Amino acid sequence: MEMTNVAIVGLGTVGTGVARLLLDHGDRTARHAGRTLWLKKAVVRDLQRPRGIDMPKGVLTDSLQDVIDDDQITVVAQLIGGLEPARTIMLSLMESGKDIVTANKALLAEHGPELFTRARELGRSIAFEAAVAGGIPIIANISQCLSANQIRSLEGILNGTSNFIVTQMDENGADYADVVREAQQLGYAEADPTMDVDGTDAAQKLAILAHLAFGATVDWAQIPRTGIVGLDPDDLRYARKLGYRIKLLAIANLAEDGLELSVSPTLVPEGTPLAEVRDAYNAIQVIGDAVGPVFYHGLGAGQMPTASAVAADLIDTAVGRTRLTFQTLEYFSIDQPPRVKLRDADTSSGRYYLRLRVANHPGTLAAIAAVLAQYGISIASVIQHEGSDGRVQLDPVPLVIMTHVATEGAARLATADIEALASVTGPVVRLRVKD
Ligand code: HSE
Protein backbone atom coordinates (compact mmCIF):
# COMPACT_ATOMS: atom_id res chain seq x y z
CA MET A 1 0.00 0.00 0.00
CA GLU A 2 1.17 3.53 -0.78
CA MET A 3 2.31 5.60 2.17
CA THR A 4 2.19 9.27 3.11
CA ASN A 5 4.60 10.36 5.82
CA VAL A 6 3.10 12.88 8.19
CA ALA A 7 4.38 14.86 11.13
CA ILE A 8 2.74 16.57 14.07
CA VAL A 9 4.21 19.80 15.39
CA GLY A 10 2.95 20.42 18.94
CA LEU A 11 1.86 17.46 21.04
CA GLY A 12 -0.58 19.19 23.39
CA THR A 13 -4.16 18.08 24.01
CA VAL A 14 -5.18 17.99 20.34
CA GLY A 15 -1.80 16.79 19.00
CA THR A 16 -1.85 13.81 21.35
CA GLY A 17 -5.38 12.97 20.19
CA VAL A 18 -4.27 13.08 16.55
CA ALA A 19 -1.26 10.84 17.33
CA ARG A 20 -3.65 8.40 19.00
CA LEU A 21 -5.90 8.24 15.94
CA LEU A 22 -2.92 7.70 13.60
CA LEU A 23 -1.18 5.13 15.78
CA ASP A 24 -4.13 3.20 17.22
CA HIS A 25 -6.41 3.35 14.19
CA GLY A 26 -4.02 3.24 11.25
CA ASP A 27 -6.21 0.65 9.53
CA ARG A 28 -9.18 3.01 9.60
CA THR A 29 -7.26 6.00 8.23
CA ALA A 30 -5.62 3.80 5.57
CA ARG A 31 -9.01 2.53 4.42
CA HIS A 32 -10.34 6.06 3.96
CA ALA A 33 -7.16 7.47 2.46
CA GLY A 34 -6.36 4.50 0.27
CA ARG A 35 -2.84 4.73 1.68
CA THR A 36 -1.09 4.43 5.01
CA LEU A 37 -0.70 7.67 6.98
CA TRP A 38 2.61 7.06 8.70
CA LEU A 39 3.40 9.24 11.72
CA LYS A 40 7.10 9.79 11.15
CA LYS A 41 7.84 12.66 13.54
CA ALA A 42 6.15 14.49 16.42
CA VAL A 43 7.87 17.70 17.44
CA VAL A 44 7.68 18.73 21.12
CA ARG A 45 9.40 21.37 23.22
CA ASP A 46 10.09 19.10 26.18
CA LEU A 47 11.04 15.49 25.44
CA GLN A 48 10.71 14.49 29.09
CA ARG A 49 7.11 15.60 29.62
CA PRO A 50 4.74 12.64 30.09
CA ARG A 51 2.04 12.63 27.39
CA GLY A 52 0.01 9.55 28.21
CA ILE A 53 0.78 7.92 24.88
CA ASP A 54 3.36 5.34 23.78
CA MET A 55 5.28 6.80 20.88
CA PRO A 56 7.24 4.40 18.64
CA LYS A 57 10.98 4.85 18.97
CA GLY A 58 12.43 7.74 16.97
CA VAL A 59 9.15 9.57 16.41
CA LEU A 60 9.42 12.11 19.22
CA THR A 61 11.89 14.93 18.58
CA ASP A 62 12.51 18.41 19.91
CA SER A 63 13.91 19.59 16.60
CA LEU A 64 11.60 21.19 14.03
CA GLN A 65 14.52 20.93 11.63
CA ASP A 66 14.11 17.12 11.65
CA VAL A 67 10.75 17.66 9.91
CA ILE A 68 11.87 20.51 7.66
CA ASP A 69 14.86 18.50 6.39
CA ASP A 70 12.89 15.31 5.80
CA ASP A 71 11.67 15.38 2.20
CA GLN A 72 9.64 12.24 2.75
CA ILE A 73 7.33 14.10 5.14
CA THR A 74 4.79 15.84 2.93
CA VAL A 75 1.93 16.69 5.32
CA VAL A 76 2.24 18.35 8.72
CA ALA A 77 -0.40 18.87 11.41
CA GLN A 78 0.77 22.18 12.83
CA LEU A 79 -0.89 22.24 16.25
CA ILE A 80 0.90 25.01 18.08
CA GLY A 81 -1.45 27.67 19.45
CA GLY A 82 -0.98 31.45 19.50
CA LEU A 83 0.45 33.69 16.80
CA GLU A 84 4.22 33.33 17.14
CA PRO A 85 6.18 31.15 16.69
CA ALA A 86 3.17 29.38 15.07
CA ARG A 87 3.16 31.75 12.05
CA THR A 88 6.91 31.47 11.40
CA ILE A 89 6.82 27.70 11.81
CA MET A 90 3.93 27.37 9.36
CA LEU A 91 5.76 29.51 6.79
CA SER A 92 8.99 27.47 7.19
CA LEU A 93 7.12 24.20 6.82
CA MET A 94 5.42 25.41 3.64
CA GLU A 95 8.74 26.73 2.26
CA SER A 96 10.16 23.24 2.75
CA GLY A 97 7.36 21.73 0.67
CA LYS A 98 4.87 20.53 3.31
CA ASP A 99 1.11 20.83 3.10
CA ILE A 100 -0.40 22.08 6.35
CA VAL A 101 -3.29 21.02 8.55
CA THR A 102 -4.05 23.32 11.45
CA ALA A 103 -6.52 23.97 14.27
CA ASN A 104 -5.17 27.43 15.03
CA LYS A 105 -8.07 29.78 14.34
CA ALA A 106 -6.39 32.76 15.99
CA LEU A 107 -3.51 32.46 13.53
CA LEU A 108 -5.85 32.19 10.53
CA ALA A 109 -8.08 35.02 11.73
CA GLU A 110 -5.03 37.26 12.22
CA HIS A 111 -2.69 36.21 9.39
CA GLY A 112 -4.99 34.25 7.04
CA PRO A 113 -4.40 36.37 3.89
CA GLU A 114 -0.60 36.26 4.29
CA LEU A 115 -0.45 32.52 4.99
CA PHE A 116 -2.93 31.52 2.29
CA THR A 117 -1.24 33.74 -0.31
CA ARG A 118 2.15 32.22 0.50
CA ALA A 119 0.68 28.72 0.33
CA ARG A 120 -0.68 29.47 -3.15
CA GLU A 121 2.64 30.93 -4.30
CA LEU A 122 4.41 27.78 -3.12
CA GLY A 123 1.79 25.41 -4.53
CA ARG A 124 0.94 24.18 -1.04
CA SER A 125 -2.41 23.84 0.78
CA ILE A 126 -3.71 24.68 4.26
CA ALA A 127 -6.60 22.68 5.73
CA PHE A 128 -8.35 24.07 8.79
CA GLU A 129 -11.54 22.12 9.57
CA ALA A 130 -10.55 21.88 13.25
CA ALA A 131 -10.23 25.66 13.59
CA VAL A 132 -13.99 26.19 13.90
CA ALA A 133 -16.46 24.22 16.04
CA GLY A 134 -14.13 21.31 16.86
CA GLY A 135 -15.62 18.06 15.61
CA ILE A 136 -18.44 19.61 13.54
CA PRO A 137 -17.44 19.57 9.85
CA ILE A 138 -18.70 23.10 9.27
CA ILE A 139 -15.85 24.30 7.04
CA ALA A 140 -16.38 21.47 4.55
CA ASN A 141 -20.13 21.95 4.70
CA ILE A 142 -20.07 25.66 4.00
CA SER A 143 -17.33 25.61 1.40
CA GLN A 144 -18.31 22.43 -0.41
CA CYS A 145 -21.64 20.82 0.50
CA LEU A 146 -23.65 24.07 0.51
CA SER A 147 -21.75 25.73 -2.32
CA ALA A 148 -24.81 26.01 -4.57
CA ASN A 149 -26.51 28.26 -2.00
CA GLN A 150 -26.48 31.90 -1.17
CA ILE A 151 -26.15 31.64 2.58
CA ARG A 152 -28.66 34.01 4.19
CA SER A 153 -27.70 33.65 7.82
CA LEU A 154 -25.56 31.72 10.19
CA GLU A 155 -26.17 31.58 13.95
CA GLY A 156 -23.83 29.62 16.13
CA ILE A 157 -22.68 28.64 19.55
CA LEU A 158 -19.00 28.56 18.65
CA ASN A 159 -17.20 28.53 21.98
CA GLY A 160 -17.48 25.30 23.94
CA THR A 161 -15.88 26.73 27.06
CA SER A 162 -18.42 29.56 27.35
CA ASN A 163 -21.30 27.20 26.70
CA PHE A 164 -19.97 24.80 29.34
CA ILE A 165 -19.67 27.62 31.87
CA VAL A 166 -23.12 29.06 31.18
CA THR A 167 -24.74 25.60 31.31
CA GLN A 168 -23.12 24.75 34.64
CA MET A 169 -24.07 28.12 36.14
CA ASP A 170 -27.61 27.90 34.80
CA GLU A 171 -28.41 24.27 35.61
CA ASN A 172 -26.28 23.60 38.69
CA GLY A 173 -25.82 27.05 40.18
CA ALA A 174 -22.05 26.58 39.77
CA ASP A 175 -19.62 29.36 40.58
CA TYR A 176 -18.13 31.10 37.52
CA ALA A 177 -14.46 30.82 38.58
CA ASP A 178 -14.82 27.13 39.53
CA VAL A 179 -16.29 26.23 36.14
CA VAL A 180 -13.59 28.12 34.25
CA ARG A 181 -11.01 25.98 36.08
CA GLU A 182 -12.95 22.82 35.26
CA ALA A 183 -13.11 23.77 31.56
CA GLN A 184 -9.34 24.20 31.58
CA GLN A 185 -8.84 20.80 33.23
CA LEU A 186 -11.13 19.17 30.66
CA GLY A 187 -9.02 20.62 27.83
CA TYR A 188 -11.81 22.83 26.44
CA ALA A 189 -10.32 26.24 27.16
CA GLU A 190 -7.65 28.07 25.20
CA ALA A 191 -4.20 28.40 26.80
CA ASP A 192 -5.43 31.86 27.81
CA PRO A 193 -9.09 31.31 28.78
CA THR A 194 -9.74 35.05 28.56
CA MET A 195 -10.10 34.54 24.80
CA ASP A 196 -12.90 32.05 25.40
CA VAL A 197 -14.93 34.08 27.87
CA ASP A 198 -14.55 37.57 26.36
CA GLY A 199 -15.93 36.53 22.97
CA THR A 200 -12.57 36.69 21.11
CA ASP A 201 -12.48 32.98 20.21
CA ALA A 202 -16.06 33.05 18.90
CA ALA A 203 -15.39 36.27 16.94
CA GLN A 204 -12.30 34.72 15.31
CA LYS A 205 -14.30 31.67 14.31
CA LEU A 206 -17.15 33.86 13.02
CA ALA A 207 -14.67 35.86 10.90
CA ILE A 208 -13.52 32.62 9.25
CA LEU A 209 -17.08 31.41 8.65
CA ALA A 210 -18.15 34.82 7.33
CA HIS A 211 -15.33 34.67 4.80
CA LEU A 212 -16.32 31.21 3.60
CA ALA A 213 -20.08 31.79 3.62
CA PHE A 214 -20.32 35.38 2.39
CA GLY A 215 -16.93 36.25 0.89
CA ALA A 216 -16.53 38.86 3.63
CA THR A 217 -13.03 39.99 4.44
CA VAL A 218 -13.35 40.73 8.12
CA ASP A 219 -10.90 41.78 10.75
CA TRP A 220 -12.23 39.73 13.69
CA ALA A 221 -11.38 42.57 16.08
CA GLN A 222 -13.98 44.74 14.33
CA ILE A 223 -16.81 42.33 15.08
CA PRO A 224 -18.90 43.82 17.91
CA ARG A 225 -18.50 41.31 20.71
CA THR A 226 -19.44 40.80 24.32
CA GLY A 227 -18.43 37.66 26.17
CA ILE A 228 -19.84 35.91 29.20
CA VAL A 229 -17.44 37.51 31.67
CA GLY A 230 -19.53 38.95 34.46
CA LEU A 231 -22.72 37.21 33.33
CA ASP A 232 -24.96 37.47 36.38
CA PRO A 233 -26.81 34.35 37.62
CA ASP A 234 -29.81 36.67 38.10
CA ASP A 235 -30.03 37.12 34.33
CA LEU A 236 -29.98 33.37 33.78
CA ARG A 237 -32.84 33.12 36.28
CA TYR A 238 -34.93 35.93 34.78
CA ALA A 239 -34.36 34.60 31.27
CA ARG A 240 -35.78 31.24 32.38
CA LYS A 241 -38.79 32.94 33.94
CA LEU A 242 -39.45 34.60 30.61
CA GLY A 243 -39.08 31.30 28.72
CA TYR A 244 -35.54 31.77 27.41
CA ARG A 245 -31.98 30.45 27.90
CA ILE A 246 -28.91 32.64 27.60
CA LYS A 247 -26.32 31.51 25.03
CA LEU A 248 -23.18 33.16 23.69
CA LEU A 249 -24.39 33.51 20.12
CA ALA A 250 -22.30 34.38 17.07
CA ILE A 251 -24.47 35.82 14.32
CA ALA A 252 -23.86 36.55 10.65
CA ASN A 253 -26.93 37.86 8.91
CA LEU A 254 -27.09 39.05 5.32
CA ALA A 255 -29.38 42.08 4.93
CA GLU A 256 -30.10 44.41 2.02
CA ASP A 257 -27.57 46.94 3.26
CA GLY A 258 -24.78 44.53 4.15
CA LEU A 259 -23.65 41.81 6.50
CA GLU A 260 -24.35 42.03 10.20
CA LEU A 261 -21.83 40.29 12.45
CA SER A 262 -21.91 40.06 16.23
CA VAL A 263 -21.03 37.91 19.21
CA SER A 264 -23.03 38.43 22.39
CA PRO A 265 -24.90 36.65 25.18
CA THR A 266 -28.40 36.33 23.76
CA LEU A 267 -31.76 35.16 25.06
CA VAL A 268 -32.78 32.13 22.98
CA PRO A 269 -36.36 30.78 23.24
CA GLU A 270 -36.58 27.57 25.26
CA GLY A 271 -37.42 24.51 23.21
CA THR A 272 -35.64 25.75 20.08
CA PRO A 273 -32.57 23.71 19.00
CA LEU A 274 -30.00 26.38 19.90
CA ALA A 275 -31.42 26.75 23.43
CA GLU A 276 -30.92 23.03 24.03
CA VAL A 277 -27.18 23.04 23.20
CA ARG A 278 -25.49 22.24 26.48
CA ASP A 279 -21.99 21.98 28.00
CA ALA A 280 -19.07 21.97 25.54
CA TYR A 281 -21.33 21.31 22.57
CA ASN A 282 -21.34 23.76 19.68
CA ALA A 283 -24.10 24.24 17.15
CA ILE A 284 -24.57 26.22 13.99
CA GLN A 285 -27.79 26.95 12.20
CA VAL A 286 -27.24 27.89 8.56
CA ILE A 287 -29.96 29.13 6.26
CA GLY A 288 -29.25 28.78 2.54
CA ASP A 289 -31.55 30.02 -0.21
CA ALA A 290 -31.82 26.58 -1.80
CA VAL A 291 -31.37 24.18 1.09
CA GLY A 292 -33.35 26.16 3.71
CA PRO A 293 -32.34 25.78 7.35
CA VAL A 294 -29.67 23.23 8.28
CA PHE A 295 -28.60 22.55 11.84
CA TYR A 296 -25.20 21.19 12.93
CA HIS A 297 -24.54 20.02 16.47
CA GLY A 298 -21.51 18.38 18.06
CA LEU A 299 -18.63 18.79 20.47
CA GLY A 300 -16.82 22.02 19.74
CA ALA A 301 -13.90 21.55 22.10
CA GLY A 302 -11.87 18.79 23.67
CA GLN A 303 -9.20 16.38 22.61
CA MET A 304 -10.81 13.72 20.42
CA PRO A 305 -13.53 15.79 18.70
CA THR A 306 -10.88 18.28 17.54
CA ALA A 307 -8.45 15.47 16.68
CA SER A 308 -11.21 13.89 14.58
CA ALA A 309 -11.32 17.02 12.38
CA VAL A 310 -7.50 17.26 12.14
CA ALA A 311 -7.15 13.59 11.17
CA ALA A 312 -9.85 13.93 8.48
CA ASP A 313 -7.92 16.90 7.07
CA LEU A 314 -4.73 14.81 7.06
CA ILE A 315 -6.54 12.14 5.06
CA ASP A 316 -8.02 14.69 2.63
CA THR A 317 -4.62 16.29 2.15
CA ALA A 318 -2.86 12.95 1.62
CA VAL A 319 -5.48 11.95 -0.95
CA GLY A 320 -5.22 15.31 -2.76
CA ARG A 321 -8.76 16.55 -2.08
CA THR A 322 -7.57 19.52 -0.01
CA ARG A 323 -5.35 20.83 -2.79
CA LEU A 324 -8.24 20.84 -5.25
CA THR A 325 -10.56 22.69 -2.85
CA PHE A 326 -7.81 25.06 -1.82
CA GLN A 327 -7.03 26.04 -5.40
CA THR A 328 -10.63 26.25 -6.55
CA LEU A 329 -11.99 28.27 -3.66
CA GLU A 330 -9.15 30.80 -3.42
CA TYR A 331 -9.56 31.01 0.36
CA PHE A 332 -8.57 34.40 1.78
CA SER A 333 -7.23 35.68 -1.53
CA ILE A 334 -5.96 39.25 -1.37
CA ASP A 335 -6.61 39.53 -5.13
CA GLN A 336 -10.34 39.05 -4.67
CA PRO A 337 -12.34 42.07 -3.48
CA PRO A 338 -14.77 41.33 -0.61
CA ARG A 339 -18.17 40.22 -1.96
CA VAL A 340 -20.16 41.98 0.77
CA LYS A 341 -19.75 45.04 2.91
CA LEU A 342 -20.30 45.07 6.64
CA ARG A 343 -23.45 46.66 7.90
CA ASP A 344 -23.34 49.51 10.41
CA ALA A 345 -23.96 47.64 13.70
CA ASP A 346 -26.35 50.38 14.91
CA THR A 347 -28.82 49.63 12.10
CA SER A 348 -29.31 45.97 13.07
CA SER A 349 -32.52 45.33 14.94
CA GLY A 350 -34.08 42.91 17.39
CA ARG A 351 -35.75 42.71 20.74
CA TYR A 352 -33.88 43.49 23.96
CA TYR A 353 -33.83 42.36 27.57
CA LEU A 354 -32.97 45.10 30.05
CA ARG A 355 -32.28 44.54 33.74
CA LEU A 356 -31.99 47.51 36.03
CA ARG A 357 -31.80 48.28 39.72
CA VAL A 358 -34.25 51.09 40.40
CA ALA A 359 -35.48 53.28 43.22
CA ASN A 360 -38.63 51.89 44.80
CA HIS A 361 -40.75 55.03 44.54
CA PRO A 362 -43.51 56.50 42.37
CA GLY A 363 -42.55 57.75 38.91
CA THR A 364 -39.52 55.48 38.41
CA LEU A 365 -41.17 53.23 35.84
CA ALA A 366 -42.74 56.23 34.10
CA ALA A 367 -39.33 57.92 33.73
CA ILE A 368 -37.79 54.78 32.21
CA ALA A 369 -40.76 54.27 29.88
CA ALA A 370 -40.45 57.91 28.79
CA VAL A 371 -36.81 57.41 27.75
CA LEU A 372 -37.69 54.28 25.79
CA ALA A 373 -40.59 56.11 24.12
CA GLN A 374 -38.26 58.96 23.18
CA TYR A 375 -36.21 56.46 21.15
CA GLY A 376 -39.29 54.80 19.68
CA ILE A 377 -38.82 51.63 21.74
CA SER A 378 -41.97 49.88 22.81
CA ILE A 379 -42.15 47.79 26.00
CA ALA A 380 -43.33 44.18 25.56
CA SER A 381 -43.33 43.07 29.21
CA VAL A 382 -42.05 44.04 32.64
CA ILE A 383 -41.08 41.98 35.68
CA GLN A 384 -41.03 44.02 38.82
CA HIS A 385 -40.71 42.51 42.25
CA GLU A 386 -43.03 43.60 45.00
CA GLY A 387 -40.15 45.52 46.50
CA SER A 388 -40.54 43.97 49.88
CA ASP A 389 -39.73 40.61 51.42
CA GLY A 390 -42.85 40.82 53.57
CA ARG A 391 -41.34 42.94 56.35
CA VAL A 392 -38.47 45.02 54.94
CA GLN A 393 -39.00 47.46 52.12
CA LEU A 394 -36.32 46.78 49.44
CA ASP A 395 -34.65 49.72 47.72
CA PRO A 396 -33.29 49.60 45.04
CA VAL A 397 -35.35 46.82 43.45
CA PRO A 398 -34.64 44.81 40.32
CA LEU A 399 -36.67 45.58 37.24
CA VAL A 400 -36.62 43.55 34.02
CA ILE A 401 -37.99 44.96 30.77
CA MET A 402 -38.48 43.09 27.49
CA THR A 403 -38.79 45.41 24.52
CA HIS A 404 -40.36 45.02 21.12
CA VAL A 405 -38.08 45.26 18.07
CA ALA A 406 -35.68 48.20 18.18
CA THR A 407 -32.50 49.11 16.38
CA GLU A 408 -29.19 48.51 18.13
CA GLY A 409 -28.44 52.23 17.88
CA ALA A 410 -31.69 53.25 19.58
CA ALA A 411 -31.31 50.56 22.27
CA ARG A 412 -27.74 51.63 22.98
CA LEU A 413 -28.59 55.32 23.32
CA ALA A 414 -31.72 54.65 25.38
CA THR A 415 -29.71 52.44 27.75
CA ALA A 416 -27.16 55.21 28.31
CA ASP A 417 -29.95 57.73 29.03
CA ILE A 418 -31.66 55.31 31.43
CA GLU A 419 -28.39 54.78 33.29
CA ALA A 420 -28.18 58.54 33.75
CA LEU A 421 -31.58 58.72 35.53
CA ALA A 422 -31.32 59.50 39.23
CA SER A 423 -33.75 56.66 40.03
CA VAL A 424 -31.50 54.02 38.36
CA THR A 425 -28.60 52.53 40.32
CA GLY A 426 -25.53 51.17 38.54
CA PRO A 427 -25.23 49.88 34.97
CA VAL A 428 -28.14 48.45 32.99
CA VAL A 429 -27.71 44.88 31.70
CA ARG A 430 -28.77 44.84 28.04
CA LEU A 431 -28.98 41.53 26.18
CA ARG A 432 -30.28 40.72 22.73
CA VAL A 433 -33.27 38.45 22.31
CA LYS A 434 -33.50 35.99 19.45
CA ASP A 435 -37.04 35.18 18.33
N1 HSE B 1 -11.38 26.87 23.31
C1 HSE B 1 -12.25 26.53 22.25
C2 HSE B 1 -13.66 26.39 22.79
C3 HSE B 1 -11.91 25.21 21.60
O1 HSE B 1 -13.85 26.38 24.01
O2 HSE B 1 -14.57 26.30 22.00
C4 HSE B 1 -10.97 25.37 20.46
O3 HSE B 1 -11.49 26.17 19.46
Side-chain angles (χ1 to χ4, degrees):
M1 195 179 233
E2 247 186 280
M3 190 161 86
T4 298
N5 286 290
V6 307
I8 298 174
V9 176
L11 214 52
T13 308
V14 177
T16 308
V18 176
R20 250 188 213 131
L21 286 176
L22 294 178
L23 294 170
D24 299 348
H25 300 289
D27 51 342
R28 199 191 290 167
T29 44
R31 196 168 63 248
H32 286 111
R35 65 189 60 222
T36 303
L37 262 64
W38 188 256
L39 179 59
K40 197 163 182 207
K41 290 286 171 205
V43 184
V44 295
R45 240 194 329 231
D46 177 4
L47 285 170
Q48 306 311 323
R49 205 178 119 193
R51 297 176 193 275
I53 179 167
D54 283 334
M55 280 291 187
K57 211 164 169 298
V59 171
L60 221 51
T61 173
D62 58 1
S63 161
L64 180 70
Q65 207 58 37
D66 282 356
V67 175
I68 288 176
D69 292 342
D70 190 333
D71 290 340
Q72 288 180 341
I73 297 176
T74 51
V75 188
V76 179
Q78 208 274 65
L79 299 173
I80 296 181
L83 301 183
E84 282 295 355
R87 171 183 156 276
T88 309
I89 290 175
M90 194 185 282
L91 287 169
S92 330
L93 289 166
M94 290 195 295
E95 306 281 349
S96 62
K98 326 290 184 203
D99 289 319
I100 303 293
V101 172
T102 185
N104 189 334
K105 96 247 44 171
L107 184 61
L108 299 187
E110 201 73 50
H111 296 296
E114 178 201 8
L115 294 166
F116 285 82
T117 301
R118 192 69 189 125
R120 267 187 289 274
E121 285 165 3
L122 293 163
R124 303 267 63 87
S125 63
I126 302 173
F128 51 100
E129 184 61 72
V132 181
I136 304 175
I138 191 67
I139 303 286
N141 268 273
I142 289 183
S143 29
Q144 296 164 49
C145 314
L146 299 180
S147 54
N149 286 261
Q150 169 61 61
I151 307 288
R152 295 278 178 221
S153 75
L154 198 150
E155 292 175 338
I157 293 170
L158 298 179
N159 184 263
T161 302
S162 297
N163 205 46
F164 179 73
I165 294 169
V166 173
T167 309
Q168 293 300 320
M169 286 172 68
D170 189 19
E171 295 184 4
N172 304 325
D175 175 69
Y176 176 85
D178 290 346
V179 204
V180 173
R181 260 192 303 279
E182 200 181 338
Q184 282 178 291
Q185 280 156 10
L186 290 166
Y188 301 154
E190 298 297 298
D192 172 6
T194 319
M195 298 177 80
D196 291 295
V197 295
D198 73 358
T200 298
D201 178 81
Q204 290 176 334
K205 290 168 176 167
L206 184 63
I208 294 172
L209 293 182
H211 175 73
L212 303 180
F214 304 99
T217 307
V218 197
D219 174 359
W220 68 267
Q222 282 174 356
I223 298 178
R225 64 187 187 285
T226 312
I228 59 150
V229 192
L231 186 66
D232 196 311
D234 280 350
D235 293 314
L236 294 166
R237 216 160 27 83
Y238 286 121
R240 264 182 188 258
K241 258 192 192 168
L242 291 159
Y244 293 86
R245 295 290 166 86
I246 295 179
K247 297 286 170 192
L248 184 67
L249 218 59
I251 294 178
N253 196 17
L254 192 60
E256 293 276 306
D257 54 343
L259 182 66
E260 173 200 349
L261 296 174
S262 68
V263 173
S264 61
T266 303
L267 273 71
V268 180
E270 253 171 19
T272 58
L274 281 170
E276 303 308 317
V277 178
R278 300 172 63 253
D279 290 328
Y281 279 85
N282 280 191
I284 302 131
Q285 175 161 304
V286 180
I287 300 181
D289 63 350
V291 74
V294 196
F295 190 78
Y296 304 90
H297 179 251
L299 278 165
Q303 183 177 60
M304 296 318 290
T306 315
S308 154
V310 172
D313 271 350
L314 288 173
I315 293 172
D316 276 359
T317 304
V319 170
R321 277 194 291 267
T322 303
R323 183 162 306 177
L324 273 179
T325 320
F326 193 76
Q327 282 165 356
T328 325
L329 290 183
E330 295 255 298
Y331 289 134
F332 296 95
S333 169
I334 46 174
D335 303 329
Q336 287 197 336
R339 288 205 309 270
V340 283
K341 69 176 178 63
L342 291 195
R343 192 179 187 197
D344 174 2
D346 273 357
T347 62
S348 71
S349 59
R351 301 207 305 131
Y352 288 89
Y353 160 102
L354 307 174
R355 180 171 59 81
L356 313 78
R357 292 173 68 229
V358 299
N360 194 2
H361 62 62
T364 294
L365 198 53
I368 294 164
V371 173
L372 290 171
Q374 187 193 328
Y375 287 95
I377 301 173
S378 169
I379 295 174
S381 67
V382 175
I383 303 180
Q384 162 140 43
H385 281 273
E386 286 224 0
S388 124
D389 69 358
R391 284 167 304 161
V392 184
Q393 198 69 15
L394 298 177
D395 201 352
V397 284
L399 177 73
V400 173
I401 298 174
M402 292 287 271
T403 75
H404 285 300
V405 173
T407 63
E408 169 68 20
R412 186 172 53 76
L413 294 172
T415 304
D417 284 6
I418 289 171
E419 280 172 345
L421 293 173
S423 51
V424 175
T425 310
V428 173
V429 174
R430 178 168 65 92
L431 303 175
R432 287 183 66 159
V433 180
K434 176 186 147 45
D435 285 307

